[in-house]
Amino acid sequence: MYDYAFVHLKFTIPLAVLLTAIAYPVLNRIHVIQTGCLIFIAFTAALPWDAYLIEQKVWSYPPEAIVGPRLLGIPFEELFFFVIQTYITALVYILFNKPVLHALHLNNQRNPPAWMRVAKITGQLLLVALSVWGWKAAQVNQETTYLGLILVWACPFLLAIWTLAGRFILSLPWFATVLPVFLPTFYLWAVDELALHRGTWSIGSGTKLEFCLFGKLDIEEATFFLVTNMLIVSGMAVFDQYLAVIYAFPTLFPKVNRYPTPLMLVQSRLVNTAKYDLERIEGLREAVERLRLKSRSFYLANSLFSGRLRIDLILLYSFCRLADDLVDDAKSRLEVLSWTAKLNHFLDLHYGDSDATEDPKQKAKRIDAYIKEAFPPFAYQALHLLPTQILPPKPLYELIQGFEMDSQFTFHGNSDSTDLKYPIADDKDLKTYAIRVAGTVGELCIALIIHHCLPDMSDSQKRRLESASCRMGIALQYVNIARDILVDARIGRVYLPTTWLKEEGLTHKIVLDNPEGPEVIERMRRRLLDNAFELYREARPEMQRIPSEARGPMIGAVENYMEIGRVLREKKEGTVFVRKEGRATVPKQRRLRTLLRALYEQ
Ligand SMILES: CC(C)=CCC/C(C)=C/CC/C(C)=C/CC/C(C)=C/[C@@H]1[C@@H](COP(=O)(O)OP(=O)(O)O)[C@]1(C)CC/C=C(\C)CC/C=C(\C)CCC=C(C)C
């Protein structure tokens, strides 16, 4: 009785609910629209086809297996199958594609590698051949009818999608395409096999090849689930390709509000690929690589963001990291000052009073020429792609000032007599330093979030968020210092204020010589962490005011970093923590747990 409804109750609905719960924290309105459109297309495309199959008696349903109501002869349970299968596969696709930055996969659009051209054309020819064969096979009532009907229905759609987005699909990582096709397919094969076994539905003999893949699963049924999942996954990828164009190229789409409009999607389809700025894509790839190599916490967090905000955060990270590295790797104080002067001049070129009549293209050329002349080639993209049109200048200048403060350490050596020259003399200096190198980063991050997610926010709201994000930046920097006492000492730096050292009867030299040694250092680490967590507690509630699409990911990024502080605090209670190159690190699983908790609890 009602077997078909039970198939849904037992197998498809629970899976859909489980996937929804897993994907919920990363789902945004775009995903909902994307999935909704696909369900609508799948439903309308399958309706006449399915009705024809039932009329031709290819498929039949024992009356006792279904509840009763039908549309065009199709039982309601079957109609529901179109919806739920599309929903399940779309969610699997969304989950596996979350870490993928689709913009990076637009690079093969203009000059694709030879293998990709061959694969695309081969795919097109194959799909044409299968459509023709399917058409012929479906004409006559014979063993190939059902397979023919599947192919003649699905292959033209697949051909259209492959023509629109074949190269993009081919350049995506396999886990983002192959897994979302095959995981739901294997599951549905198992469900189908069960239903065929129980007689919930049956396929008319004489219209199938009588070849089973396994058990009672006819090859036609197996093909049906495979091609429909291919349609769903490639349909999602087409959307993502056009969204990627909108997000990646601000020159083509200067203003993207919170969500791109359907018109923008059409326009993005119509953009000639010759207009794609592939140099920007290469620069973006370099920025992602820098992020991957240099920061595990922010790399993990970046995949939770979406749209142009994600791209701009990555570009901001790349600039900050590059500037920090230029200063850190300098061989003399003079070299540091030369880098900071060049960075300041770079900012002046963007933000300084320039000739209002100058053509923006001319100005961009002038800045580019300066970058090429003053900085090494590896710095070009990080500077060239910094989204200065969105970022406020003040925090950027202050950040450079912070790096200048840093430079005072490196070249003072380990001498006891130089105590007074250490730049962090007291609490005030410590705070100034943290504001400059990290409070500013918080303000810059929040500026990007406001620009992309809530441009109409009131000034007072903006100021509140800016102040909280600055405090949160300071908190993160204190954790950073507490973590790196050993690493910093190795390069002649002590960020613990001189006044703190004096209170404990220490000198910089003692810390430099034995950064792990005396218990007093541990006490100071705790003091630093206490300050960090106090600021964190003040600023954290303000994060609830961040617009929803950035809130969870930002909380995830911050919590991941603060977790380093928690790990360090646990040390005092005797917990062992893992160290990499002298730094305390949060084990991978714990980092992942923290991120998930932040997302679910946001
Ligand atoms: C997801 C994503 C890609 C985020 C990017 C965030 C970003 C732009 C980070 C820049 C990091 C950076 C290289 C800055 C240069 C100065 C510096 C070294 C600062 C320290 C960062 C630690 O990075 P790391 O551990 O890799 O550095 P070292 O190996 O020690 O050199 C800092 C501790 C600063 C980080 C500060 C922030 C990310 C700001 C935090 C505040 C917010 C996110 C706003 C919160 C909002 C409210 C409303 C409270």
Side-chain angles (χ1 to χ4, degrees):
M1 245 333 229
Y2 304 151
D3 255 15
Y4 201 168
F6 280 111
V7 166
H8 286 309
L9 285 175
K10 278 193 203 153
F11 299 110
T12 61
I13 295 175
L15 180 61
V17 171
L18 178 70
L19 286 169
T20 310
I22 295 173
Y24 182 72
V26 297
L27 286 181
N28 59 35
R29 202 185 299 177
I30 292 286
H31 292 132
V32 176
I33 296 171
Q34 216 175 341
T35 310
C37 286
L38 222 65
I39 290 177
F40 176 76
I41 296 170
F43 190 87
T44 35
L47 202 63
W49 180 79
D50 202 330
Y52 181 75
L53 254 72
I54 291 172
E55 193 203 81
Q56 294 295 306
K57 309 234 174 330
V58 176
W59 276 343
S60 57
Y61 305 89
E64 70 280 6
I66 56 175
V67 177
R70 290 177 183 250
L71 177 71
L72 300 177
I74 310 170
F76 268 30
E77 295 89 329
E78 178 81 1
L79 296 170
F80 183 67
F81 214 118
F82 306 156
V83 175
I84 199 95
Q85 183 191 344
T86 312
Y87 182 74
I88 287 172
T89 307
L91 278 191
V92 176
Y93 171 91
I94 290 169
L95 283 171
F96 280 101
N97 274 268
K98 198 66 200 118
V100 182
L101 183 58
H102 289 115
L104 296 186
H105 300 276
L106 294 172
N107 62 326
N108 292 313
Q109 304 296 303
R110 211 158 63 197
N111 294 311
W115 74 266
M116 214 175 250
R117 285 174 204 264
V118 173
K120 183 167 176 185
I121 294 175
T122 311
Q124 284 171 320
L125 291 176
L126 189 72
L127 288 167
V128 170
L130 287 173
S131 307
V132 172
W133 183 87
W135 171 253
K136 287 199 173 141
Q139 301 294 306
V140 277
N141 215 5
Q142 57 182 22
E143 292 79 38
T144 53
T145 304
Y146 183 19
L147 192 58
L149 281 168
I150 294 171
L151 295 179
V152 74
W153 169 72
C155 290
F157 284 115
L158 275 174
L159 179 63
I161 295 175
W162 190 247
T163 304
L164 288 176
R167 286 203 289 266
F168 179 72
I169 293 170
L170 282 171
S171 65
L172 290 177
W174 70 274
F175 65 79
T177 50
V178 177
L179 286 186
V181 168
F182 279 96
L183 292 181
T185 300
F186 291 152
Y187 185 79
L188 293 173
W189 280 356
V191 173
D192 195 26
E193 147 72 5
L194 215 84
L196 286 164
H197 213 84
R198 287 174 61 93
T200 309
W201 53 77
S202 61
I203 303 164
S205 54
T207 58
K208 61 178 180 178
L209 290 168
E210 302 293 352
F211 173 79
C212 291
L213 195 63
F214 59 86
K216 277 184 169 266
L217 182 73
D218 297 293
I219 188 72
E220 292 84 352
E221 286 286 281
T223 309
F224 172 78
F225 286 115
L226 181 63
V227 295
T228 45
N229 284 332
M230 282 165 80
L231 278 168
I232 298 164
V233 166
S234 51
M236 295 291 280
V238 172
F239 265 99
D240 279 341
Q241 174 178 241
Y242 298 132
L243 286 172
V245 175
I246 295 172
Y247 295 143
F249 303 125
T251 42
L252 297 176
F253 294 91
K255 198 162 155 47
V256 182
N257 287 329
R258 271 180 110 164
Y259 302 105
T261 58
L263 179 68
M264 280 175 148
L265 281 172
V266 176
Q267 286 169 335
S268 132
R269 162 72 197 103
L270 297 176
V271 171
N272 185 334
T273 54
K275 289 198 177 154
Y276 289 3
D277 179 357
L278 295 190
E279 202 197 339
R280 182 176 164 84
I281 300 296
E282 276 317 304
L284 188 54
R285 187 185 311 286
E286 199 182 294
V288 172
E289 193 54 12
R290 186 169 279 135
L291 177 62
R292 190 181 68 81
L293 293 174
K294 301 278 179 150
S295 174
R296 265 166 297 166
S297 349
F298 295 129
Y299 183 66
L300 194 64
N302 108 78
S303 55
L304 301 173
F305 288 92
S306 33
R308 201 172 275 175
L309 173 62
R310 179 177 180 184
I311 292 179
D312 282 344
L313 280 170
I314 294 171
L315 295 176
L316 173 63
Y317 179 88
S318 182
F319 169 81
C320 295
R321 184 78 277 159
L322 171 93
D324 193 27
D325 286 353
L326 283 175
V327 170
D328 276 357
D329 297 344
K331 301 278 180 293
S332 67
R333 184 157 162 65
L334 217 62
E335 191 186 338
V336 171
L337 294 178
S338 136
W339 286 130
T340 50
K342 286 175 179 176
L343 288 164
N344 277 323
H345 186 64
F346 163 77
L347 295 179
D348 290 343
L349 290 177
H350 273 290
Y351 297 108
D353 298 331
S354 60
D355 178 3
T357 58
E358 188 182 17
D359 171 20
K361 279 196 184 143
Q362 237 9 72
K363 181 176 168 182
K365 268 195 184 160
R366 200 157 49 81
I367 298 176
D368 258 19
Y370 177 70
I371 300 174
K372 284 183 181 147
E373 170 208 311
F375 293 92
F378 66 81
Y380 176 75
Q381 294 287 9
L383 295 165
H384 170 71
L385 293 180
L386 181 70
T388 46
Q389 68 291 357
I390 305 175
L391 296 168
K394 193 166 161 279
L396 286 168
Y397 279 107
E398 268 190 71
L399 181 67
I400 311 296
Q401 274 183 310
F403 296 147
E404 256 166 28
M405 261 177 108
D406 249 350
S407 74
Q408 295 173 27
F409 287 114
T410 326
F411 311 102
H412 284 281
N414 297 351
S415 157
D416 237 351
S417 61
T418 55
D419 267 3
L420 287 177
K421 290 182 188 160
Y422 280 85
I424 314 289
D426 50 24
D427 287 77
K428 192 165 156 273
D429 286 343
L430 179 66
K431 191 165 178 195
T432 306
Y433 172 70
I435 290 176
R436 289 185 180 165
V437 298
T440 52
V441 177
E443 285 180 51
L444 292 165
C445 289
I446 220 67
L448 291 180
I449 293 176
I450 293 175
H451 174 89
H452 288 296
C453 309
L454 221 59
D456 301 328
M457 186 178 258
S458 73
D459 284 347
S460 65
Q461 285 273 3
K462 273 186 201 165
R463 273 196 298 278
R464 237 181 120 154
L465 270 182
E466 278 159 10
S467 139
S469 53
C470 177
R471 264 172 294 157
M472 190 59 97
I474 303 172
L476 264 54
Q477 185 57 26
Y478 286 176
V479 169
N480 184 287
I481 296 175
R483 178 191 66 178
D484 287 350
I485 294 178
L486 174 68
V487 179
D488 290 332
R490 282 189 194 142
I491 52 168
R493 296 183 186 183
V494 179
Y495 289 96
L496 298 166
T498 311
T499 48
W500 292 17
L501 297 181
K502 287 207 168 127
E503 278 168 36
E504 299 284 0
L506 290 179
T507 62
H508 288 104
K509 182 161 170 36
I510 297 175
V511 179
L512 289 173
D513 289 347
N514 193 5
E516 290 237 76
E519 169 60 20
V520 278
I521 294 188
E522 208 44 50
R523 265 210 302 274
M524 284 187 278
R525 194 199 301 272
R526 263 176 263 148
R527 187 169 167 183
L528 209 49
L529 289 172
D530 288 345
N531 287 350
F533 278 94
E534 201 180 310
L535 284 162
Y536 161 83
R537 270 190 297 276
E538 279 169 33
R540 180 65 172 78
E542 292 297 315
M543 293 192 84
Q544 293 310 119
R545 295 176 189 274
I546 295 178
S548 59
E549 60 269 42
R551 191 190 312 133
M554 240 339 148
I555 293 178
V558 163
E559 288 299 338
N560 234 322
Y561 212 89
M562 290 307 289
E563 200 65 10
I564 302 172
R566 293 191 188 101
V567 165
L568 286 166
R569 277 182 146 185
E570 283 167 15
K571 191 195 165 203
K572 78 175 177 198
E573 280 135 36
T575 318
V576 182
F577 60 85
V578 186
R579 279 209 149 144
K580 275 210 176 127
E581 292 157 17
R583 288 175 152 167
T585 64
V586 182
K588 210 179 199 160
Q589 279 191 352
R590 181 163 168 179
R591 231 178 306 140
L592 216 61
R593 262 203 320 271
T594 309
L595 206 64
L596 289 177
R597 200 175 333 116
L599 283 175
Y600 279 99
E601 288 174 4
Q602 56 162 304

